Amino acid sequence: MLRQRRRISFGWWVLTVLTSLVLLGMAAEFVYAQTVTHGFNCITPGASEMDKTTGQEQLLVDITHHAGELTATFRFYNVGPQPCSITDIYIQDGHLTSFLYLINGEGVVFSIGATPGNLPDGQYAEPPFVATKRFSSDSDPPIMPNGINQGEELTAFYSVEGGTTVYDIEAEVGQGILRIGFHVQAFGDGKSAAFVNSLEQVPEPATVLLLGLGCLFFLKKRKKNY
């Protein structure tokens, strides 16, 4: 019985150390690079429920601002597994000042500038989506194969106003001032639809892990009380 208690105590000691390391890592990351993640909602009238669900479950953007730098990084990605291709990306600017450059992920070929100049079906967003043309980009021909398909990503770098932090960017996203629009094609039914970023932030995996550890700690204390 004593050995068993020692093993349990040692296990919780290890868990505590690991949790501390995770927190320290998050603190270090918070100082040097702060990231927020958003999903997307469909704005196209008449889009099928399957296409809406596919886009809302698979399309994401990570927005990162590195402390002390005048650059914001936007990572656009499609986690899959259902077929769909992000072929046009539109931005309503906020604190962004210029489009710096793109890094195409494997299988993705995008260029700065988009045709058409505004998000298709953008008039159905609330309020209507009006793209800042100098921040848009789209896939090169062949359009859908070179778009952001399942498991693919694209990273765009924008300059930001001096003194801007991720909190300023996040505040503008949350207020609908800085918005991101996707034109998505090649759904399983062959149709296309438009999506605009949701206002709510998606929890990061590390945050979910910490919440899970907190639940375990709570259950352990509850068992002791009984």
Side-chain angles (χ1 to χ4, degrees):
M1 180 65 70
L2 182 59
R3 288 182 179 179
Q4 185 177 1
R5 287 181 178 175
R6 285 178 178 174
R7 284 198 296 270
I8 293 172
S9 298
F10 178 75
W12 279 97
W13 179 83
V14 170
L15 182 60
T16 301
V17 171
L18 290 174
T19 303
S20 299
L21 290 173
V22 169
L23 288 170
L24 287 172
M26 289 178 66
E29 179 69 12
F30 179 79
V31 171
Y32 295 105
Q34 305 158 339
T35 300
V36 293
T37 302
H38 287 271
F40 286 78
N41 295 320
C42 184
I43 62 168
T44 297
S48 70
E49 289 303 317
M50 181 179 295
D51 292 351
K52 289 180 182 179
T53 300
T54 296
Q56 289 165 3
E57 291 182 350
Q58 296 185 191
L59 309 180
L60 295 165
V61 59
D62 289 346
I63 305 172
T64 303
H65 175 258
H66 297 268
E69 297 182 9
L70 298 180
T71 303
T73 304
F74 285 60
R75 174 176 167 251
F76 310 105
Y77 54 111
N78 179 349
V79 297
Q82 298 301 321
C84 67
S85 178
I86 304 169
T87 56
D88 302 82
I89 299 172
Y90 299 90
I91 305 287
Q92 262 183 270
D93 57 338
H95 272 86
L96 307 183
T97 57
S98 63
F99 203 147
L100 298 176
Y101 58 95
L102 293 168
I103 295 181
N104 288 306
E106 185 175 353
V108 176
V109 184
F110 262 64
S111 298
I112 296 176
T115 302
N118 195 33
L119 175 66
D121 294 332
Q123 70 272 24
Y124 297 110
E126 185 56 47
F129 191 100
V130 180
T132 306
K133 294 182 179 180
R134 67 183 185 276
F135 297 141
S136 301
S137 58
D138 65 10
S139 58
D140 295 350
I143 293 172
M144 288 171 282
N146 283 335
I148 306 172
N149 291 279
Q150 307 98 296
E152 297 179 342
E153 64 180 66
L154 169 75
T155 305
F157 296 83
Y158 300 90
S159 61
V160 297
E161 297 174 3
T164 299
T165 69
V166 75
Y167 298 114
D168 299 314
I169 297 171
E170 173 62 13
E172 290 189 334
V173 173
Q175 295 164 12
I177 298 171
L178 194 163
R179 294 195 291 176
I180 302 160
F182 286 162
H183 183 213
V184 184
Q185 301 185 65
F187 283 102
D189 57 9
K191 295 182 180 180
S192 63
F195 291 79
V196 173
N197 66 282
S198 63
L199 302 184
E200 296 181 358
Q201 185 177 340
V202 176
E204 295 182 26
T207 303
V208 175
L209 173 62
L210 288 174
L211 289 172
L213 291 174
C215 289
L216 286 173
F217 181 73
F218 173 77
L219 290 173
K220 177 67 177 177
K221 286 190 69 176
R222 189 176 180 185
K223 285 182 179 179
K224 283 185 175 181
N225 291 336
Y226 282 100

